Amino acid sequence: MFRTFSAKLWILLTVITCAVALGSAWSIYTVDNADQMQRLKQKLTTLATTVCQFVDGDTFASLQNADQQASADWNAIANTLLKFQDTDPDIKFVYTLAKRPDTDRTGMLRFIVDPSPLSDENGNGKIDPEEEPAKLGQGYDAKKLAPRMLEAFDKPICEDDISADQWGACLSGYAPIRNRDGAAIGIVGVDIMANQIAALRRAFIHQCWIVVIAV
């Protein structure tokens, strides 16, 4: 009788311990995930703001026509963006956009400098259209694809969550490019790919499971 009660007690204690461990791990993951996203957002807006300090606003404003792609002025800004992109392995893209005459009505922006190198991301042996960097003047539907992007002409800001376009799913931060008079004439965007964020989450979940199993 005592052995039966003892066995049941141990089973009950084991179930309770596992439930508490799992609940604690889930709570820690939820809190850490929110904190991690906040840190990434702060990192992206800080990076975008820093990049803007090194982009000459007047040179940027002079890039108006598609035939200026790869011009000396275009390359000067492209090299600046690439230097910042190379400083952090988490950064996937750094690029610039400006408003169009119809932006206030349509929410459309246009790319100015996108120096992303050609890369066969899907491994099919060729560069597909969605893998090519944006051309100078190419339109971008910010209202539909990146809801917070238009706000970046007023202040540094980050998307609330991961957003997706033809180049993939990313968490993006932006900051305004200003001319010598302080007017916002464009924005810098900095992207971290969603799969990199997912990898960080998986690593933390793995650590949580180790703790649960240990308990």
Side-chain angles (χ1 to χ4, degrees), residues 57-136:
D58 295 322
T59 300
F60 178 85
S62 71
L63 298 173
Q64 297 291 328
N65 304 313
D67 59 6
Q68 291 176 287
Q69 177 98 23
S71 65
D73 287 341
W74 189 95
N75 280 323
I77 295 176
N79 290 334
T80 297
L81 303 184
L82 286 173
K83 285 178 182 178
F84 277 93
Q85 185 171 321
D86 292 340
T87 61
D88 192 325
D90 290 337
I91 298 174
K92 182 63 177 180
F93 302 118
V94 182
Y95 47 90
T96 65
L97 301 101
K99 288 185 176 182
R100 304 190 330 181
D102 63 345
T103 295
D104 291 340
R105 178 173 55 84
T106 64
M108 292 291 295
L109 298 177
R110 60 191 178 96
F111 280 97
I112 302 299
V113 180
D114 178 12
S116 306
L118 292 174
S119 177
D120 181 16
E121 297 290 338
N122 59 19
N124 66 352
K126 62 179 182 179
I127 304 298
D128 295 321
E130 65 271 16
E131 294 171 327
E132 293 182 357
K135 303 293 192 298
L136 198 165

Side-chain angles (χ1 to χ4, degrees), residues 7-29:
K8 289 181 178 179
L9 181 61
W10 276 110
I11 292 172
L12 178 62
L13 289 174
T14 299
V15 170
I16 292 174
T17 301
C18 289
V20 170
L22 285 169
S24 299
W26 177 252
S27 297
I28 292 171
Y29 168 75

